[in-house]
Amino acid sequence: MTDSRAAVAESDAGPRPTRRAVQAAETRALIVDAAGRLFAKQGYVPTTVEAIAAESGVALQTVYNSVGNKAALLSAVLDAAASGPHSPSNVLELMRRRTAEAPDFDALIAVLADWFLEVHQRTGPVVGLIAQAAAVDPAVDKLQTARALQRLDRYREAAAALRSRGGLASGMSDADAAAAIWSLGHPQTYRTLVGEGGWTKAAYRDWLVRSLAAALA
C-alpha cells in the first residue's frame, strides 16, 4: 500500500488512540472490574473506595481520577455489565447498529426483545445492588433516577425507528411509545417475572414480543 493510500485508510478508520489514552482506558477497566467484584462479594455499603484501589492495585487518587466517587464506580460497573462482550462499544452505539439493520417493524420488535433478554441477564445483579444502595445513599438514589430517565430518553430513538417502519399507526407519540418500551422492558419486570415468578427466559422473550408489538403497532 502506498503512503497516500495508507494515510487514507488510517483517516477512514479514525485517529489512533495515543499510548496514554490506551493506558488510561486499561486502568479504568481494571478499576471497574475490581469494583464489580467487590460490590458483588461484599455489597455496596461495606465496600470502600480504598478497598477498590487496593483490589485493582492502583493509588486511591487514581480511582477518583479515572472513574470518580463510589456512586460513579457503581454506575461504571453497570455500564460494563450492560456492554458485556460488546465492550468497548457502549450500549447506545450497539443498539443504533442493530436498529439500522432491522428491515421492518417485526424485526425491530425482535431486536428490542432480544436486547432486553440479553442485557437483563447481565445487569440484573447490579440493578438489584443499585436498588438496595439507593435506600441508604442519596448519591445512588440520584444515580438510579438518572439512569431510568436516560433509558426513557433513549427509547425515543427506538420509537422513531418503529414509526419509520410502519409502527405507531394508532397515532401514539414518540414520547408515549418510549414510555411503553421503558415500562415493558424495565429491569424490575424481568426480575419479577423470571427471577421471582419462575418464568423461563423463552417465555419472557415471547411475552415481550407480543406485548411490544401490540402496544407499538
Side-chain angles (χ1 to χ4, degrees):
M1 182 180 290
T2 65
D3 291 344
S4 60
R5 290 176 63 189
V8 170
E10 182 174 341
S11 176
D12 290 343
R16 293 181 179 178
T18 65
R19 180 177 297 180
R20 178 176 295 181
V22 170
Q23 290 175 339
E26 290 175 346
T27 298
R28 177 184 170 84
L30 185 69
I31 293 168
V32 172
D33 184 62
R37 290 196 305 271
L38 290 181
F39 286 148
K41 181 179 179 180
Q42 301 176 176
Y44 178 80
V45 173
T47 300
T48 64
V49 180
E50 290 81 0
I52 292 169
E55 178 75 10
S56 53
V58 302
L60 177 61
Q61 192 59 45
T62 301
V63 175
Y64 286 110
N65 291 343
S66 297
V67 185
N69 62 16
K70 193 172 171 181
L73 285 160
L74 186 55
S75 180
V77 169
L78 178 60
D79 285 335
S83 296
H86 310 291
S87 182
S89 295
N90 64 40
V91 169
L92 185 58
E93 293 170 345
L94 173 67
M95 292 308 293
R96 281 174 174 169
R97 289 199 300 270
R98 291 184 179 181
T99 297
E101 293 167 359
D104 54 34
F105 176 84
D106 289 339
L108 187 47
I109 289 293
V111 165
L112 290 171
D114 288 338
W115 170 248
F116 286 134
L117 177 60
E118 174 187 346
V119 75
H120 292 332
Q121 292 179 77
R122 291 199 300 266
T123 62
V126 185
V127 171
L129 191 64
I130 290 174
Q132 293 172 2
V136 296
D137 187 333
V140 180
D141 185 44
K142 290 181 180 180
L143 167 65
Q144 182 174 239
T145 300
R147 296 303 292 257
L149 293 176
Q150 179 189 64
R151 291 196 305 272
L152 178 60
D153 183 64
R154 287 180 174 179
Y155 292 151
R156 286 175 176 266
E157 287 194 29
L162 286 163
R163 185 184 300 282
S164 73
R165 289 161 175 78
L168 314 190
S170 65
M172 176 182 285
S173 68
D174 286 0
D176 285 349
I181 298 169
W182 183 90
S183 300
L184 290 167
H186 198 280
Q188 184 58 49
T189 302
Y190 174 85
R191 187 176 180 181
T192 299
L193 295 178
V194 178
E196 301 169 3
W199 284 32
T200 65
K201 294 170 184 175
Y204 169 77
R205 184 194 179 279
D206 290 346
W207 170 79
L208 266 180
V209 168
R210 293 193 304 270
S211 300
L212 288 167
L216 302 168

